[in-house]
Amino acid sequence: MPSASTAVSTTARVDADSRLAPGRPGYRRTSLALFAAGLAVFALLYSTQALLPDVSAAYGVSASTASWTVSAATGALALCVLPLSALSERFGRRAMMTGSLAVAVAIGLLTPFAPSIESLVALRAVQGAALAGVPASAMAYLAEEVRPRALVAAIGLFVAGNSIGGMSGRVVTGWAAQLWGWRAGVAAVGLMAAVCAVAFRLLLPKARHFTPGTGSPAALARTVKAHLSDPLLLRLYAIGALFMTVFGAVYTVIGYRLVEEPFSLPQGVIGSVFLIYLVGTFSSAAAGKLVARLGRRGALYLAVTATAAGLLLSLAETLTGVLAGLVLITAGFFAGHAVASSSVSRTAAHGRAQASALYQSAYYLGSSAGGTLGAVAFHAGGWAGTVLLGLVAVLGVVSVTLYGTHRARVELRAEERERARKNGRETYNHTGSPSVLRA
């Protein structure tokens, strides 16, 4: 039983921790600011996704060609997130996020005027590159400014902002497109993101625990090499990429499925389908409670089960069945993403911005691949082809998680054997009894 002095010293250490936590000054402002940033990122990044049938019709291109208006943005983000995270080590997380949002919003307001599919894809790629400064910097900011026990919940709120942004952006574009055309829909998202960017800048407190790094290429290379040599981080990167492959494939193609028979839904109603993202808001915000109850692997297994069940249910030929499947897919994806992304920030002892950047790179490469491959699979085998692609990715998540569980058990048994060996040697040296050593 701890002594009174031990309890006092523990309390003093907790009180001396000036990082943010629920109930402490600045925590609510930080949460709201990053919620707004997450909303803006997903609203801009996927601003054309709900409009792909209209984009196909406007430019006279196929679904797979139109899908590049999404894949180019997510792919550019994946490629640029690491170098921009390195700049955040030198100039600060807050400055990087502010600059990234400003550039992305400006491009978002230019996008509706794209005269051709090629120019639209190019603008979207530049916009995705600009947005790359937000995700990794946001997670690094939280890892530095928020206490470890509150980190999953804080990142969950950022991810919840992603889900709200993805939902509201698609709903706004859907109805605006139905009333005034797809270009008006994209413009509406740009204006909404501008409001979020201003709110973010006004709300986010200055960093108190940020220490500028050198930002040299050699230092960056060493940090990246160390992260890529960590088996746990590699597994988390793979999980993020595979989860996002499912999500990107489903939500890129779903508009094409719902506009066809037997559903034949108008664009505004298809945009409203993305209200299902609200489920992701709750599941990502609840990720901390899931981890506390089930552990990180248990929470991932639950997320995988929900996603796989949703994919199978979405094969139904009724709108109710499809919507129920989307609910499960969305809940499983956002819960799994919140658990995996927070585990990256918790695992990395140094270079957190680079660790988060590598996760974001894998995550958005999964989105880019899922969007393009999902459209190809849809052309080849209809919705069943897209579902098959998603199930293969889900099986990949299961395999990676099971392997991680196996490795953890092997390492634990090895540690127990090593402790037993050391304890046995110490007892043998003390008693002179070899039988104790064998025990």
Side-chain angles (χ1 to χ4, degrees), residues 26-371:
Y27 181 83
R28 183 179 296 274
R29 287 185 59 192
T30 298
S31 298
L32 290 174
L34 289 175
F35 181 88
L39 194 155
V41 168
F42 254 51
L44 290 171
L45 192 62
Y46 295 100
S47 60
T48 62
Q49 192 174 59
L51 304 175
L52 291 181
D54 283 357
V55 171
S56 290
Y59 293 115
V61 297
S62 66
S64 57
T65 300
S67 71
W68 278 103
T69 63
V70 179
S71 296
T74 54
L77 189 153
L79 293 175
C80 294
V81 67
L82 184 59
L84 290 186
S85 73
L87 290 179
S88 81
E89 293 282 2
R90 173 173 290 187
F91 300 109
R93 324 297 187 198
R94 189 167 179 258
M96 176 55 63
M97 289 187 281
T98 300
S100 293
L101 284 174
V103 173
V105 166
I107 295 172
L109 296 175
L110 292 174
T111 300
F113 304 101
S116 65
I117 187 66
E118 292 81 9
S119 59
L120 178 59
V121 170
L123 282 170
R124 295 283 292 144
V126 176
Q127 188 176 48
L131 287 171
V134 179
S137 298
M139 292 189 182
Y141 178 93
L142 290 172
E144 292 163 353
E145 303 297 325
V146 175
R147 292 184 182 181
R149 289 188 177 181
L151 185 57
V152 174
I155 290 181
L157 285 172
F158 174 67
V159 175
N162 291 167
S163 68
I164 291 287
M167 176 207 71
S168 58
R170 289 163 172 88
V171 173
V172 168
T173 56
W175 284 105
Q178 184 169 320
L179 294 173
W180 303 294
W182 72 269
R183 295 179 189 274
V186 174
V189 168
L191 292 172
M192 182 179 71
V195 173
C196 291
V198 171
F200 162 80
R201 180 62 182 181
L202 294 176
L203 286 170
L204 189 69
K206 292 183 178 180
R208 299 176 62 189
H209 300 277
F210 170 71
T211 302
T214 60
S216 68
L220 175 62
R222 286 194 298 271
T223 301
V224 169
K225 182 179 179 180
H227 291 328
L228 293 179
S229 300
D230 188 320
L232 175 55
L233 286 177
L234 285 177
R235 291 195 293 271
L236 292 171
Y237 298 154
I239 288 170
L242 290 167
F243 261 124
M244 196 54 167
T245 298
V246 180
F247 199 69
V250 167
Y251 277 101
T252 295
V253 174
I254 191 62
Y256 288 99
R257 187 187 186 202
L258 295 179
V259 81
E260 295 178 351
E261 296 288 346
F263 308 107
S264 302
L265 299 181
Q267 186 62 60
V269 176
I270 291 174
S272 296
V273 166
F274 291 91
L275 286 168
I276 290 172
Y277 265 52
L278 284 172
V279 175
T281 303
F282 291 112
S283 67
S284 58
K289 293 180 180 178
L290 284 176
V291 170
R293 179 171 296 183
L294 304 174
R296 293 178 186 272
R297 292 189 186 90
L300 281 174
Y301 287 132
L302 181 60
V304 163
T305 301
T307 304
L311 285 167
L312 294 174
L313 188 56
S314 72
L315 289 168
E317 291 298 317
T318 64
L319 184 59
T320 301
V322 172
L323 295 180
L326 290 176
V327 166
L328 288 175
I329 293 168
T330 304
F333 162 72
F334 276 105
H337 170 44
V339 173
S341 58
S342 62
S343 297
V344 169
S345 297
R346 188 182 181 92
T347 300
H350 67 283
R352 287 192 177 98
Q354 284 72 47
S356 294
L358 288 169
Y359 175 84
Q360 295 294 330
S361 292
Y363 174 79
Y364 286 110
L365 282 174
S367 176
S368 185

